[in-house]
Amino acid sequence: MMASLIEHGIRSPAVLHAMAGVPREEFVLEADRDHAYADRALPIDAPGQTISQPLMVAVVVEALELHEGDRALDVGTGSGYQAAVMAACGAHVVSIERVGSLAQTAAERLRRLQYDVEVFEGDGTLGVPERAPFDAIAVGAAAPRLPVALARQLVEGGRLVVPITENPGGEELTRLRLVDGRWQTESLGPCRFVPLIGADGYEVADTD
Ligand code: SAH
């Protein structure tokens, strides 16, 4: 897995160190433990949800430019893997998940593995106002448009990394940075994510 990350351009020593240290097998289903380090997304314990491909986690976390002691928000806890990688980069992490059972399992897992992550259950499209502002915010699901409430929870110099849907089936990983009180956005390339569902996201599907 590490060779593949380096081959695909991950350069940050902190991110590589974190990816090498977080035990991914603890975050996947029992049946998938044997290929926990394959570079692909794997199912987690909720319909249609996945733990992201390691390369995508590394790309997102590298784009956050985390520094030791940063306050970071992870939207869409899922298994808690990305939150753990962010904490392993030295950040104090707040993570929010809309599916209660996932939030609970991830919170227990992260506590057991002793990562500095506080898990909330709820709609992360509105951020976590009681813990804002943040130096960095990662969104682990695809948003229909720029999530403004999240951008408003950044400190000056803060970074928001979010996949935004450009057309059906095509997302663009986008980084927004607050510079001199203005939002600067840049595109980091195409990506695939599950939909972000909530007040400033997509509507809940009938099957949800
Ligand atoms: N980063 C996670 C995987 C994220 S999958 C990991 O490392 O395992 C995307 C997650 O976002 C799913 O668990 C989904 O339930 C959650 N999600 C979708 N919309 C959300 C919202 N509005 N607020 C919080 N979580 C949301």
Side-chain angles (χ1 to χ4, degrees):
M1 182 183 90
M2 297 310 297
S4 165
L5 296 182
I6 292 165
E7 186 188 324
H8 287 92
I10 302 300
R11 290 286 172 268
S12 156
V15 173
L16 289 170
H17 185 259
M19 294 292 298
V22 177
R24 191 165 149 94
E25 71 276 9
E26 297 282 351
F27 295 82
V28 301
L29 301 179
E30 197 71 38
D32 286 320
R33 280 188 158 227
D34 288 350
H35 34 266
Y37 293 92
D39 195 15
R40 58 185 165 97
L42 291 170
I44 54 176
D45 221 355
Q49 304 303 334
T50 57
I51 171 172
S52 307
Q53 180 195 359
L55 177 61
M56 201 26 86
V57 173
V59 165
V60 168
V61 177
E62 186 168 60
L64 292 174
E65 297 177 357
L66 293 172
H67 300 102
E68 194 71 39
D70 269 2
R71 298 164 50 84
L73 173 65
D74 169 54
V75 176
T77 314
S79 67
Y81 178 70
Q82 183 170 299
V85 172
M86 289 163 65
C89 287
H92 304 293
V93 182
V94 172
S95 186
I96 181 164
E97 168 59 53
R98 66 180 284 272
V99 179
S101 58
L102 287 178
Q104 241 174 43
T105 310
E108 281 165 20
R109 175 182 287 140
L110 291 160
R111 200 176 314 122
R112 175 166 55 82
L113 298 172
Q114 300 188 321
Y115 286 105
D116 180 4
V117 181
E118 184 184 12
V119 179
F120 284 74
E121 179 189 334
D123 177 8
T125 63
L126 303 176
V128 181
E130 62 268 48
R131 291 290 182 274
F134 300 99
D135 298 287
I137 302 176
V139 183
R145 57 191 163 269
L146 183 76
V148 171
L150 291 178
R152 292 211 171 104
Q153 289 178 17
L154 287 176
V155 300
E156 170 65 26
R159 292 82 55 199
L160 163 65
V161 176
V162 53
I164 299 180
T165 307
E166 292 290 316
N167 51 58
E171 285 105 48
E172 194 70 29
L173 191 65
T174 307
R175 175 166 55 196
L176 175 150
R177 205 187 281 275
L178 182 62
V179 182
D180 296 329
R182 287 167 189 254
W183 291 338
Q184 293 181 353
T185 59
E186 68 192 290
S187 174
L188 305 177
C191 56
R192 284 315 311 270
F193 279 85
V194 300
L196 181 72
I197 295 165
D200 196 15
Y202 291 97
E203 285 178 26
V204 182
D206 293 343
T207 53
D208 208 62

